[in-house]
Every structure is written in C-alpha cells, then in structure tokens.
Amino acid sequence: MDSHGEYEQRVVWTVVGTGIGPLLLAATREGLVNVVFHATDAARDQALEGLAARLGTEPVEAPGSPLLTEAIRQVEAYFAGSRRDFDLPLDWSLIAGFNRQVLRELASGVPYGSVVGYGDLAGRVGRPGATQAVGMAMGANPLPVVVPCHRVVESDGGIGGFGGGLDTKRQLLALEGVLPEPLF
C-alpha cells in the first residue's frame, strides 16, 4: 500500500515465444492489459516505455508472476492448437469509448475459426456507417490475439490491415483454419 492506504498500480510483463514470433504480455491486478507483437528488444522497450507513461508505473519483468501465469499458459496452448478461447481477466484501461465497445463485441461475438467484416462489426455495435472507425479500433487494440482483431476482414474478401503485419494475420487465420497454411 502507498502512504494513502491505497494499493499502488503494479504492471508485470514477460515475453513468450510463439509461432508468430515473440509476444510481450503485460498484466495488472485487473488482468491482462497489453499484448505486443514482434517483441524483440527495440519493440519491447518501446512498448514498456509506453505502458509506464500510460499507467503511471514502471513495468517489472516477472515471468513467474501469478498475474501472468495463466495468460502464458493459455497463449502457449492457443499456439499449440489445444485452446480455442481465452478465458482471462482483461484490464481494458488502455482503451475507451467506441473502441472499447467494438473490441468487447469482437471478443465475445466472433469465435475461433470465423471472421467478420469491418462493416458487420460496426452494425453489431449499432453504428452501421462506422466501418473506418472499426478499422481504427482494430489498430488501437492493446490485446491482439486475445481480443482477436485478426478475425476482422474486408467485406469484399480482402484480408484487410493488421498491426502485427499481414503475414502474422495470415498465420493466425491459418492456425484457426480460416485460411490454408502458407506454402512457405
């Protein structure tokens, strides 16, 4: 506790190796707060600086933390093909408003092995004309993979954009059986 009798914010993090490269996982007492693709040294350091600035505390590397143990287990199981759904507490504090509404709908309403169009997702949250705003929400997703923005595609059948890169999006969709495995 701090001097005011309140619990200080604590952010713990680790990097997990996956089939799409290293992922940084960060958690607070509320739950998983951030997942970062391609978490090599530079990307990891930049993400940790951003978390410190936004959450007001320096993240601590703690791979054995109880706050991360279950997230690590579930992420590893997902990439091993033995888990289809994540059942983790999530800390939504890095996202608000329309973006949070869209991401919550995505997390609860678009299951493993399926995709949804940007426009369809906009309609699900009562804003059928907000296709571009849905795209912006996907780009702002602090919890990719766990909140599956890779499952959002263009209505004309195009794959759409992806913060982790299009190759990563293709790999995730192939893992879930939506696309064929890449040949190379």
Side-chain angles (χ1 to χ4, degrees):
M1 279 194 235
D2 65 15
S3 61
H4 302 289
E6 296 179 13
Y7 288 100
E8 294 178 49
Q9 174 74 292
R10 179 160 188 240
V11 180
V12 293
W13 66 274
T14 193
V15 174
V16 177
T18 72
I20 59 167
L23 291 180
L24 180 141
L25 305 178
T28 66
R29 286 184 180 90
E30 297 298 315
L32 192 65
V33 71
N34 203 203
V35 176
V36 178
F37 290 113
H38 315 299
T40 56
D41 294 345
R44 180 198 66 221
D45 293 347
Q46 182 178 8
L48 293 172
E49 286 174 20
L51 279 171
R54 295 199 56 202
L55 298 176
T57 188
E58 196 68 35
V60 175
E61 185 174 14
S65 166
L67 297 172
L68 288 171
T69 303
E70 184 62 14
I72 293 166
R73 189 184 73 71
Q74 289 189 29
V75 165
E76 288 174 342
Y78 171 81
F79 282 100
S82 61
R83 174 171 278 282
R84 292 176 163 231
D85 302 308
F86 291 96
D87 184 21
L88 296 168
L90 302 177
D91 179 340
W92 293 94
S93 64
L94 295 178
I95 197 116
F98 177 77
N99 290 356
R100 184 186 289 188
Q101 181 185 10
V102 169
L103 292 171
R104 283 181 180 262
E105 173 59 30
L106 175 64
S108 65
V110 183
Y112 182 97
S114 65
V115 293
V116 65
Y118 293 95
D120 293 335
L121 191 53
R124 288 185 187 192
V125 296
R127 302 265 310 271
T131 302
Q132 287 184 327
V134 167
M136 298 294 285
M138 296 306 104
N141 182 4
L143 296 161
V145 180
V146 175
V147 176
C149 52
H150 60 276
R151 296 180 190 153
V152 183
V153 297
E154 295 173 348
S155 60
D156 65 3
I159 195 166
F162 194 62
L166 292 181
D167 286 340
T168 300
K169 186 171 187 173
R170 284 186 191 97
Q171 288 177 302
L172 290 167
L173 291 173
L175 174 70
E176 295 187 10
V178 175
L179 292 177
E181 287 288 334
L183 297 175
F184 48 89

